[in-house]
Amino acid sequence: QVQPVESGGGLVQPGGSLRLSCAASEHSYRFRAMAWYRQAPGKERELVADITDAGKVNYADSVKGRFTISRDNDKNTVYLQMTSLKPEDTAVYYCNTGLKPYTQYIPSDNWGQGTQVTVSR
């Protein structure tokens, strides 16, 4: 299995926006649900959003209305568009490949390396 690769993190001011990308192989991506997690210092890794192969999405209450998860199967990429960022959004964001053949997102051990998002003045 090939690990997904996250990118797009960086430093942004509160209220700003950032788009994260998760690149994966066709074999590991196209027919699998995908998810974004984040882990802040001193906290456990938490599910932020997930998307099925059919495009059904789910969001954590803390990001609903601010974050949008999407996928582009032609590019083998999952995106997380983050807007109205808050300091509490600061974390390392990870991409996870869901288990196949489940139609709903089921976590696997296939994690990316993570990308740092820092929301600060």
Side-chain angles (χ1 to χ4, degrees):
Q1 292 182 337
V2 178
Q3 291 180 310
V5 179
E6 303 94 336
S7 63
L11 175 64
V12 64
Q13 292 185 336
S17 300
L18 209 59
R19 188 180 75 161
L20 307 183
S21 298
C22 171
S25 69
E26 181 178 355
H27 182 266
S28 63
Y29 166 83
R30 179 170 292 181
F31 301 107
R32 290 169 167 80
M34 302 289 289
W36 284 100
Y37 286 72
R38 66 186 181 187
Q39 187 166 21
K43 299 181 65 177
E44 294 186 350
R45 191 172 299 186
E46 64 174 343
L47 177 64
V48 175
D50 63 77
I51 183 168
T52 71
D53 62 317
K56 183 179 180 182
V57 299
N58 177 65
Y59 298 98
D61 289 340
S62 59
V63 306
K64 189 172 295 184
R66 299 188 298 119
F67 291 9
T68 301
I69 188 171
S70 62
R71 64 193 300 161
D72 186 337
N73 289 343
D74 291 338
K75 298 180 179 179
N76 294 347
T77 302
V78 178
Y79 303 98
L80 185 67
Q81 179 66 52
M82 306 182 293
T83 62
S84 301
L85 283 163
K86 306 174 181 179
E88 53 261 43
D89 295 319
T90 296
V92 178
Y93 283 71
Y94 298 91
C95 183
N96 182 250
T97 303
L99 293 175
K100 181 185 178 182
Y102 304 105
T103 57
Q104 297 190 45
Y105 169 68
I106 303 295
S108 77
D109 292 327
N110 192 17
W111 298 92
Q113 80 286 353
T115 184
Q116 176 71 47
V117 173
T118 303
V119 185
S120 176
R121 294 183 175 87

